[in-house]
């Protein structure tokens, strides 16, 4: 796979940052024997509006059937709000499973299936367990009465390379949405002078809404670009939506945009095989246990981890043996070194996680999640114009501050090859002269998303060394036929009445 280098000499594989949504699944590399190696599949898919009770029951049966028919093993959760799975199988069986999901329900066309080939067969799950649950991530947001709408409030996805650039912004803050025991062995370390990393110190996900609602937290986020990340992306979906919903009903909480890393750490370390800004190991919930950047030296990775054995306090960087914190109200995984394994088994009540060791107590005040959502929905219903503003064309962008002596080709060169279909030049009503703005019809939603992500990077998109402004286009009935069959593409904008 082709590699490149950023201006800071960081190795990058851009293709690994791109989601598999709406496109073909990655092909199997010839170096992997399809009969002697396995593939691990990570994916999630939210459904909005949520499935009915009968649809939920049918979905559970169908997913189990498709998995069983293709000899798939692993674990999954099926809730009325969607599906979240970590599965294993033979490479071709896994791909067939994904394609059959797409054929069964078109919503899985938008799913980002994350495949890792070359897995040794002993790392594959031995059996299949797909459970019916109330919530995909245990935030305590289960049910449509509490869960913030993803369609209305979900944060903006940034692909790994764009997220890498965003972490260099000094006006940004980064929130690790994972649990503290996960962050103990690995986390992002933004560059000096870049974004500030915030650790919520969570024992489990249900503490996140309480932490996010605290004044101390909101003071850190106000007037900042907020970047969230997690293992594979699913925890950030609801987390970013919750923050956006909170800011919609609270005039004192106004972040400057909420974003998250598409595909999470999983995609980031594949995109930056030397690690990029990632330091340490990515804690995993499958038999691999952890993930490290592909070409990073193990010695370098070990040095970047500062976790310790919970008993003897010597440096130790691996979770093995399923040891848990002995505090009854906690019970999170703890690290125990080989020398202390026997003691840990004999005296499990003596084990302490780092948060319990320091006596940390999470915020206890739970926000009124039901009331918050009702208020957000009521405000939306009370202003129909605002509701209309939330609807954008999926394939159009508005550009301004263009050079007056521009052209179709110049705009294409600036936005990127194979993303622009047509350009409608905007002109003054009286003089019919071009004034530096246009509407661009892209070649699809993914192309539009790529342009937006490029524009968010430091420096943005420039023409004649001048940064142009890019925004989404609101849907208006009068504009629906703008690019119909009668549209004629002008290679240059009109010069107006002479």
């Amino acid at each position: 796979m082709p590699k490149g280098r950023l201006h800071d000499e960081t190795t990058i594989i851009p293709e690994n940052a791109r989601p598999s949504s709406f496109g073909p699944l990655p092909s199997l590399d010839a170096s992997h024997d399809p009969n002697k190696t396995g593939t691990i599949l990570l994916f999630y898919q939210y459904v909005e509006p949520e499935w009915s009770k009968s649809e939920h029951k049918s979905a559970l049966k169908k997913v189990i059937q498709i998995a069983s028919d293709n000899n798939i093993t692993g674990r999954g959760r099926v809730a009325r709000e969607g599906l979240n799975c970590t599965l294993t199988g033979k490479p071709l069986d896994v791909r067939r499973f994904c394609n059959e999901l797409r054929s069964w329900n078109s919503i899985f066309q938008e799913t980002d299936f994350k495949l890792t080939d070359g897995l040794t067969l002993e790392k594959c799950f031995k059996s299949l367990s797909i459970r019916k649950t109330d919530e995909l991530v245990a935030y305590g947001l289960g049910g449509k009465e509490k869960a913030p709408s993803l369609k209305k409030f979900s944060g903006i996805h940034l692909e790994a390379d764009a997220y890498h650039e965003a972490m260099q912004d000094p006006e940004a803050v980064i929130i690790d949405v994972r649990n503290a025991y996960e962050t103990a062995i690995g986390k992002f370390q933004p560059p000096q002078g870049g974004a500030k990393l915030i650790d919520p110190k969570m024992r489990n996900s249900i503490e996140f809404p309480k932490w996010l609602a605290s004044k101390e937290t909101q003071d850190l986020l106000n007037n900042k670009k907020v970047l969230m990340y997690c293992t594979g992306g699913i925890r950030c979906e609801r987390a970013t939506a919750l923050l956006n919903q909170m800011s919609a009903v609270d005039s004192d909480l106004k972040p400057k945009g909420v974003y998250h890393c598409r595909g999470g750490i999983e995609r980031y370390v594949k995109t930056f095989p030397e690690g990029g800004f990632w330091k340490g190991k990515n804690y995993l919930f499958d038999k691999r246990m952890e993930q490290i950047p592909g070409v990073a030296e193990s010695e370098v990775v070990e040095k970047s981890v500062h976790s310790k054995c919970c008993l003897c306090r010597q440096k130790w960087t691996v979770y093995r043996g399923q040891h848990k914190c002995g505090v009854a109200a906690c019970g999170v995984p703890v690290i125990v070194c080989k020398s202390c394994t026997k003691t840990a088994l004999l005296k499990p009540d003596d084990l302490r996680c780092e948060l319990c060791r320091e006596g940390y107590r999470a915020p206890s005040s739970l926000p009124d999640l039901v009331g918050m959502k009702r208020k957000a929905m009521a405000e939306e219903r009370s202003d129909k114009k605002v509701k209309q503003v939330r609807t954008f064309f999926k394939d159009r962008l508005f550009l301004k501050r263009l050079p007056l002596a521009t052209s179709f080709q110049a705009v294409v060169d600036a936005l990127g090859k194979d993303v622009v279909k047509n350009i409608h030049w905007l002109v003054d009503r009286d003089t019919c002269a071009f004034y530096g703005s246009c509407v661009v019809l892209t070649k699809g939603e993914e192309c539009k998303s790529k342009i937006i992500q490029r524009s968010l990077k430091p420096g943005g998109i420039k023409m004649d060394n001048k940064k142009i402004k890019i925004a989404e286009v609101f849907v208006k009935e009068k504009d629906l036929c703008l690019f119909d069959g009668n549209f004629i593409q002008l290679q240059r904008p009109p010069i107006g009445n002479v």
Side-chain angles (χ1 to χ4, degrees):
M1 188 170 289
K3 299 180 181 179
R5 283 195 174 271
L6 299 179
H7 56 82
D8 59 359
E9 293 302 305
T10 300
T11 301
I12 178 174
I13 306 176
E15 293 83 357
N16 287 349
R18 310 298 172 241
S20 60
S21 314
F22 301 104
L25 298 172
S27 57
L28 179 65
D29 191 279
S31 63
H32 300 307
D33 188 325
N35 296 311
K36 296 182 179 179
T37 61
T39 293
I40 189 161
L41 167 66
L42 308 179
F43 75 97
Y44 66 87
Q45 180 60 54
Y46 277 103
V47 177
E48 192 174 312
E50 66 180 25
W51 283 321
S52 65
K53 289 184 178 180
S54 60
E55 288 172 331
H56 182 197
K57 185 177 180 180
S58 296
L60 177 65
K61 289 182 178 180
K62 189 64 177 181
V63 173
I64 292 174
Q65 176 212 315
I66 296 175
S68 300
D69 289 348
N70 290 286
N71 304 306
I72 299 298
T73 57
R75 299 178 298 187
R77 297 162 67 91
V78 180
R80 291 181 64 179
E81 64 181 4
L83 180 63
N84 180 30
C85 292
T86 299
L87 304 174
T88 55
K90 295 290 182 65
L92 300 183
D93 289 341
V94 169
R95 286 163 170 81
R96 190 160 45 248
F97 167 83
C98 296
N99 286 324
E100 288 185 17
L101 271 186
R102 288 175 166 179
S103 298
W104 164 58
N105 192 322
S106 61
I107 196 169
F108 291 102
Q109 294 289 341
E110 64 187 63
T111 305
D112 181 17
F113 293 106
K114 297 180 284 292
L115 287 78
T116 300
D117 295 314
L119 201 69
T120 56
L121 294 180
E122 59 266 22
K123 294 290 186 181
C124 291
F125 288 102
K126 302 302 180 187
S127 60
L128 177 68
S129 174
I130 306 291
R131 297 190 296 118
K132 181 180 178 181
T133 62
D134 294 327
E135 194 175 9
L136 295 184
V137 179
Y139 281 133
L141 300 174
K144 58 184 179 181
E145 295 81 12
K146 294 181 181 179
S149 168
L150 298 183
K151 288 184 177 180
K152 294 180 177 67
F153 296 117
S154 183
I156 297 173
H157 290 95
L158 292 180
E159 293 176 2
D161 44 358
Y163 195 85
H164 181 87
E165 294 288 339
M167 285 193 285
Q168 301 174 59
D169 186 347
E171 293 301 311
V173 294
I174 304 172
I175 301 176
D176 189 335
V177 189
R178 301 173 303 150
N179 301 315
Y181 63 86
E182 299 172 70
T183 69
I185 61 171
K187 57 189 174 184
F188 279 117
Q189 184 177 308
Q192 188 173 2
K196 177 184 178 182
L197 178 65
I198 301 175
D199 180 4
K201 289 189 171 183
M202 292 186 294
R203 290 178 172 85
N204 47 59
S205 294
I206 203 168
E207 295 179 350
F208 183 77
K210 302 174 186 177
W211 176 82
L212 194 59
S214 70
K215 185 180 184 303
E216 293 78 9
T217 297
Q218 295 188 358
D219 286 344
L220 294 173
L221 309 185
N222 214 14
N223 295 314
K224 294 290 185 180
K225 179 189 292 185
V226 179
L227 309 173
M228 297 191 190
Y229 75 90
C230 60
T231 307
I234 186 170
R235 284 180 273 189
C236 290
E237 297 285 357
R238 284 280 188 231
T240 57
L242 183 59
L243 174 55
N244 278 328
Q245 181 176 269
M246 282 183 173
S247 66
V249 300
D250 185 352
S251 59
D252 294 328
L253 176 61
K254 294 301 172 192
K256 292 182 178 179
V258 181
Y259 308 84
H260 59 108
C261 186
R262 185 191 287 271
I265 305 163
E266 165 81 11
R267 278 212 181 279
Y268 183 90
V269 297
K270 288 181 178 179
T271 303
F272 295 91
E274 294 173 350
F277 295 137
W278 176 259
K279 304 299 176 185
K281 306 175 182 180
N282 180 21
Y283 184 100
L284 299 176
F285 296 88
D286 57 65
K287 288 195 172 185
R288 294 175 297 170
M289 302 298 290
E290 67 240 352
Q291 175 190 29
I292 64 173
V295 299
E297 296 182 8
S298 58
E299 184 178 342
V300 174
V301 172
E302 289 294 325
K303 284 184 178 180
S304 65
V305 181
H306 304 290
S307 55
K308 300 175 181 178
C309 169
C310 71
L311 289 174
C312 71
R313 308 306 290 161
Q314 73 162 315
K315 179 175 179 177
W316 203 256
T317 65
V318 294
Y319 285 91
R320 297 293 186 271
Q322 298 185 342
H323 302 289
K324 306 288 185 181
C325 177
V327 177
C330 182
V332 303
V334 294
I335 293 176
V336 175
C337 70
K338 286 184 179 180
S339 301
C340 294
T341 299
K342 185 174 180 181
T343 302
L345 293 173
L346 291 172
K347 300 179 178 180
D349 292 343
D350 291 346
L351 306 182
R352 294 290 182 272
C353 72
E354 295 301 319
L355 295 182
C356 288
R357 177 180 285 274
E358 70 176 71
Y360 175 77
R361 291 188 177 184
S364 58
S365 180
L366 181 67
D368 180 6
L369 298 169
V370 174
M372 186 191 306
K373 181 168 184 179
R374 286 177 178 172
K375 184 177 180 181
M377 300 303 290
E379 288 183 0
E380 183 183 14
R381 287 192 297 268
S382 68
D383 189 347
K384 293 182 179 180
K385 291 183 179 179
V386 172
K387 187 174 182 180
Q388 292 172 356
V389 164
R390 293 190 184 279
T391 305
F392 299 101
F393 281 105
K394 293 184 177 182
D395 54 2
R396 298 187 192 183
L397 289 171
F398 172 70
L399 276 59
K400 70 177 183 178
R401 293 188 179 177
L402 302 179
L404 294 180
T406 190
S407 66
F408 178 86
Q409 189 58 49
V411 175
V412 169
D413 291 341
L415 299 185
K417 295 180 179 179
D418 300 323
V419 296
V420 176
K421 187 174 182 181
N422 290 117
I423 298 175
H424 173 70
W425 308 108
L426 299 178
V427 297
D428 182 85
R429 186 176 300 176
D430 296 323
T431 66
C432 295
F434 175 64
Y435 55 82
S437 298
C438 70
V439 176
V440 172
L441 177 65
T442 69
K443 293 185 178 180
E445 190 172 1
E446 286 295 314
C447 294
K448 171 189 164 184
S449 177
K450 288 178 181 179
I451 295 171
I452 291 175
Q453 289 183 24
R454 283 188 56 215
S455 71
L456 293 171
K457 294 181 180 180
I461 297 176
K462 296 182 178 180
M463 293 184 68
D464 290 353
N465 295 319
K466 181 180 178 182
K467 184 177 178 180
I468 63 175
K469 285 203 168 184
I470 298 177
E472 295 189 84
V473 180
F474 303 136
V475 173
K476 296 179 182 178
E477 188 173 353
K478 68 182 182 66
D479 294 331
L480 293 175
C481 299
L482 185 62
F483 294 100
D484 62 13
N486 296 319
F487 178 80
I488 299 175
Q489 180 60 63
L490 300 178
Q491 294 303 307
R492 293 186 178 276
I495 60 174
N497 300 328
V498 180

